[in-house]
Amino acid sequence: MTIAVVVFPGTNCEHDIVHALRLVGAEPEIVWHTETDLAGVAGAVLPGGFAHGDYVRTGAIARFSPVMTEIERLAASGTPILGICNGFQILCEAGLLPGALVANRDLKFICKPVHLRVESTDSILTSAATVGQVLRIPLNSYEGQFVATDIDTIEDADEVILRYCDPEGVTGTYSNPNGSTNAIAGITNAARNVAGLMPHPERASETILGSNDGMVMIESFVESVQRVRA
Amino acid sequence: MTTHTFRVTITRKEGLSDPEGTTARKALHDLGYSGVGDVSFGRIIAIEVEAENVASARSRVEEMCTKLLANPVIETFGIESLDVEDSAIESVT
């Protein structure tokens, strides 16, 4: 049960997610962005970083990397695909997830732990969590503000899976670090097999790192891969 | 084949957050400029294209904008020909 961890020129979080996936017994395999055959892959992760230097826009060039044809094929066939941070931006640029990520409200790079509230468990990223659960996960991005022109459609379809909140789970301006519309931190697609989030669950994979709250998401993803495979 | 030069202007769609524009507008108010409405920031890309004629060059630039240079989900773009004989501005959403 191979999970492809896709690496573009400039990706820098691949070893973190490989480590986190191994903690729950998964078999991740790092795949270079020029790969054109992902046959036999049961799931894929697009990790964080600065693919292709973030030139033009974050993810704008990466979405045309050769491997993306395979990612699009896998997504269409129901295979779980997860995008973290820069990977989330790439999935939005590719049209596999709705909306876009733009510069943070305060035009500053944000690197700090944030709180997230689970909004829906009907996704490959949150299936092992509970609705309302609050998770403390590191955020590390400049273009992290989620925007969309069709925000009501996204909300009505229950595609919002995570929102920024305070430690008690309450959303508001001060607990929304980057000004994301409706405090959206993570979303899924209509088919619910593609998900993306700006914070880094793989950086909250062990208590020695300050939090292991990210593991419920890693477990959700790996269980989803196993479920689809079975 | 001749070389045609264009200036592409990319701006955020109306209604979407533009913190840089909002902050600039406030600063202009603070500097005493009254009557300043929305201020929005964008990007300008200068691009040269070889083609049979300006119309064909422009349609290729339009395609490049839709595919890569702009994000149609959140941005609109305008294409301005910098060729001396054709300086009409065309806006495409």
Side-chain angles (χ1 to χ4, degrees):
Chain A
M1 189 205 66
T2 303
I3 294 176
V5 174
V6 181
V7 175
F8 301 86
T11 297
N12 60 16
C13 298
E14 67 272 27
H15 295 292
D16 309 57
I17 187 67
V18 162
H19 177 77
L21 288 167
R22 283 187 179 142
L23 287 178
V24 289
E27 295 162 25
E29 185 181 318
I30 288 179
V31 170
W32 186 233
H33 76 119
T34 54
E35 182 61 60
T36 54
D37 183 8
L38 293 184
V41 161
V45 183
L46 277 59
F50 303 86
H52 296 275
D54 275 354
Y55 289 120
V56 184
R57 288 178 311 281
T58 55
I61 295 175
R63 69 152 295 196
F64 293 111
S65 273
V67 73
M68 289 305 292
T69 306
E70 277 293 85
I71 295 295
E72 285 167 24
R73 180 184 65 78
L74 291 171
S77 72
T79 301
I81 311 283
L82 169 62
I84 301 170
C85 195
N86 191 220
F88 180 19
Q89 296 163 339
I90 296 167
L91 292 176
C92 287
E93 279 282 341
L96 294 175
L97 287 173
L101 284 311
V102 300
N104 295 334
R105 175 190 55 209
D106 299 333
L107 301 180
K108 284 182 180 169
F109 192 98
I110 297 171
C111 181
K112 65 174 185 182
V114 295
H115 291 91
L116 306 176
R117 188 178 71 203
V118 176
E119 297 293 291
S120 167
T121 55
D122 185 10
S123 87
I124 57 161
L125 187 64
T126 51
S127 54
T130 52
V131 171
Q133 188 174 356
V134 176
L135 305 167
R136 187 168 179 269
I137 310 280
L139 179 67
N140 187 71
S141 48
Y142 180 78
E143 285 95 352
Q145 180 184 183
F146 182 82
V147 295
T149 51
D150 52 349
I151 198 72
D152 292 340
T153 312
I154 294 169
E155 291 281 1
D156 293 346
D158 193 32
E159 290 173 10
V160 178
I161 53 176
L162 297 162
R163 279 186 226 277
Y164 299 106
C165 64
D166 69 11
E168 279 71 50
V170 179
T171 57
T173 304
Y174 294 105
S175 61
N176 184 350
N178 49 27
S180 289
T181 308
N182 296 1
I184 293 170
I187 53 170
T188 186
N189 62 340
R192 313 200 84 89
N193 67 310
V194 180
L197 81 167
M198 283 313 297
H200 288 266
E202 79 283 12
R203 294 191 193 178
S205 57
E206 293 181 74
T207 50
I208 196 171
L209 298 172
S211 166
N212 63 355
D213 285 3
M215 286 314 288
V216 71
M217 297 193 212
I218 305 294
E219 285 160 12
S220 299
F221 177 67
V222 171
E223 283 171 17
S224 301
V225 170
Q226 289 164 340
R227 202 160 44 238
V228 171
R229 198 66 171 172
Chain B
M1 297 285 267
T2 48
T3 302
H4 301 277
T5 311
F6 298 91
R7 184 189 291 139
V8 174
T9 306
I10 298 169
T11 48
R12 191 80 51 88
K13 278 184 180 172
E14 272 184 42
L16 290 175
S17 155
D18 179 5
E20 196 168 10
T22 310
T23 307
R25 181 187 177 186
K26 283 180 193 157
L28 290 169
H29 278 287
D30 291 346
L31 288 169
Y33 292 102
S34 58
V36 176
D38 276 351
V39 177
S40 58
F41 279 66
R43 287 176 295 140
I44 289 178
I45 301 167
I47 187 161
E48 291 179 350
V49 179
E50 290 229 334
E52 293 285 333
N53 53 51
V54 69
S56 137
R58 178 189 292 274
S59 90
R60 285 179 64 202
V61 171
E62 263 185 51
E63 188 184 318
M64 293 175 205
C65 287
T66 308
K67 197 167 181 182
L68 176 71
L69 300 176
N71 181 353
V73 174
I74 53 164
E75 293 172 328
T76 58
F77 58 86
I79 300 170
E80 181 185 359
S81 169
L82 299 185
D83 294 354
V84 180
E85 70 275 19
D86 181 276
S87 59
I89 296 177
E90 183 185 335
S91 283
V92 183
T93 52

